Amino acid sequence: MANTGTWWMRLVDLSHPVETGMQVFPGDPPVRTELAATVPQDGFQVSGLHLGTHSGTHVDAPLHTVDGGAPVDTLDLLRLLGPARIVRVAGLKKTDTIRWTDVEAQLEEVAPGDIVLFHTGWSRYFDTGAYLQHPVIEVLIAERLVAAGVTVIGVDTLNPDPTPGAGGVLDLPVHSVILGAGGAILENLTNLDAVTWPNPVVSALPLKLRGLDGSPVRAVALEL
């Protein structure tokens, strides 16, 4: 939306609302909010918030999958605020794999430091069982991006890697490549279809959670 007096022309919120009972990665702490004080009773309102570090729209720090990796409070914020490339992949079905050949043409001019976001449209299934059966990214894409100097990627799904069902084996090759290179991964993005202008700037800043492996973010795309 145009907003007179601001330094941007349009802003799109790329974040899911955080609320009690929202969908999380299987086995992660549930999200719960509760009133601790109210205006009628106490003269002010305060709420309690219980959630995991990977709840809602969030960033994975290297520590998430790399033993001894960097925690979220040490991430360079400038890497999470900058030019973005939105890679649009349409017509995907459950558990489809996005391959390098599907996206190569959209990544020809990717530059070091770009934030690369994959728009699959799967965020429409958030809070349903279908959201767990999301498309995944071929590890070759992650390898090519790291080689090009890209260390921050994002997806509008629960995970760039497969999300296992109950008792399934967890395999995280894209995490291993991106986080192993000291990068970061944004997950559970939404509204990428509303970013209709070229060369958006994306901001996805985490809370300064000392020594932890990830953090919810308020991700936005800006037209400058």
Side-chain angles (χ1 to χ4, degrees):
M1 298 291 186
N3 194 339
T4 303
T6 62
W7 50 272
W8 66 85
M9 294 177 64
R10 280 183 284 184
L11 182 151
V12 171
D13 190 350
L14 305 178
S15 312
H16 286 284
V18 174
E19 57 187 341
T20 295
M22 70 186 297
Q23 191 169 36
V24 297
F25 189 87
D28 276 12
V31 176
R32 184 178 72 252
T33 65
E34 57 192 7
L35 285 174
T38 65
V39 174
Q41 183 172 337
D42 306 290
F44 57 89
Q45 181 167 313
V46 172
S47 299
L49 176 62
H50 177 274
L51 75 171
T53 48
H54 300 266
S55 300
T57 306
H58 67 272
V59 62
D60 293 352
L63 183 58
H64 182 46
T65 61
V66 178
D67 188 23
V72 72
D73 59 301
T74 67
L75 291 178
D76 181 357
L77 298 183
L78 288 176
R79 296 167 62 200
L80 297 166
L81 170 61
R85 179 71 59 91
I86 298 180
V87 177
R88 303 189 189 275
V89 192
L92 295 169
K93 300 180 178 63
K94 293 179 179 180
T95 69
D96 276 356
T97 297
I98 302 167
R99 303 197 180 279
W100 173 251
T101 52
D102 300 326
V103 300
E104 181 179 8
Q106 297 184 65
L107 292 170
E108 285 181 351
E109 298 179 3
V110 71
D114 281 354
I115 298 170
V116 175
L117 308 180
F118 292 87
H119 174 216
T120 70
W122 214 258
S123 63
R124 67 187 182 275
Y125 296 118
F126 188 75
D127 265 338
T128 75
Y131 195 63
L132 301 176
Q133 298 174 294
H134 54 81
V136 301
I137 294 176
E138 181 183 33
V139 69
L140 178 61
I141 296 174
E143 292 169 346
R144 293 282 174 85
L145 288 174
V146 168
V150 172
T151 56
V152 178
I153 70 166
V155 292
D156 60 353
T157 62
L158 188 60
N159 190 354
D161 293 307
T163 296
V169 177
L170 186 62
D171 185 28
L172 300 172
V174 172
H175 281 76
S176 294
V177 170
I178 300 294
L179 302 187
I185 299 174
L186 300 167
E187 295 173 331
N188 293 328
L189 295 166
T190 190
N191 294 334
L192 287 172
D193 56 315
V195 185
T196 57
W197 62 91
N199 306 314
V201 169
V202 164
S203 171
L205 303 184
L207 298 174
K208 198 169 186 177
L209 302 176
R210 190 179 300 278
L212 298 188
D213 44 79
S215 169
V217 300
R218 186 67 179 266
V220 299
L222 299 165
E223 180 185 22
L224 302 185

